[in-house]
Amino acid sequence: MATEREMLEFAAKACGLVVIGNSHGYPLVRSDGNKSGILWNPKDDNADCAAMCANLRINSAYWVNAIECYANSGIIEHSEFYDKHNNPETAWRYAATMVAAKIGGMK
């Protein structure tokens, strides 16, 4: 099982971002053309997660008590139950980040 930091690093890799360090356990990333780094955390930040989902074409399906995120026509997927998280939004960010990490090579 990967750590949260590894999950975020694999997700960054999937998005074409370069991890140049970390701050408080979260990746400090940059795109190849950018000299400075930015803090990036789609697991906790709605804007980062939405941009990641658009970039990687990650889709979401909401159910009564869970969310499923998937990419590549459902070949890569991850489901999360709402009661495991504070709310559906938190579950969405986690599930989407897991899908991105799998795209980035996380086992």
Side-chain angles (χ1 to χ4, degrees), residues 14-63:
C15 291
L17 300 171
V18 178
V19 177
I20 60 172
N22 70 74
S23 177
H24 306 289
Y26 299 110
L28 191 59
V29 299
R30 66 173 175 81
S31 61
D32 287 334
N34 188 354
K35 299 286 185 207
S36 62
I38 60 165
L39 199 58
W40 184 77
N41 186 2
K43 190 187 83 47
D44 292 335
D45 184 271
N46 287 342
D48 286 346
C49 190
M52 175 187 72
C53 287
N55 183 30
L56 298 176
R57 311 294 194 268
I58 295 173
N59 297 299
S60 302
Y62 294 87
W63 307 104

Side-chain angles (χ1 to χ4, degrees), residues 35-90:
K35 299 286 185 207
S36 62
I38 60 165
L39 199 58
W40 184 77
N41 186 2
K43 190 187 83 47
D44 292 335
D45 184 271
N46 287 342
D48 286 346
C49 190
M52 175 187 72
C53 287
N55 183 30
L56 298 176
R57 311 294 194 268
I58 295 173
N59 297 299
S60 302
Y62 294 87
W63 307 104
V64 173
N65 63 349
I67 182 168
E68 179 180 74
C69 290
Y70 55 94
N72 299 333
S73 299
I75 295 170
I76 300 171
E77 63 181 51
H78 187 83
S79 298
E80 282 295 311
F81 290 99
Y82 298 146
D83 61 359
K84 183 179 172 184
H85 300 275
N86 294 333
N87 54 49
E89 190 174 284
T90 304

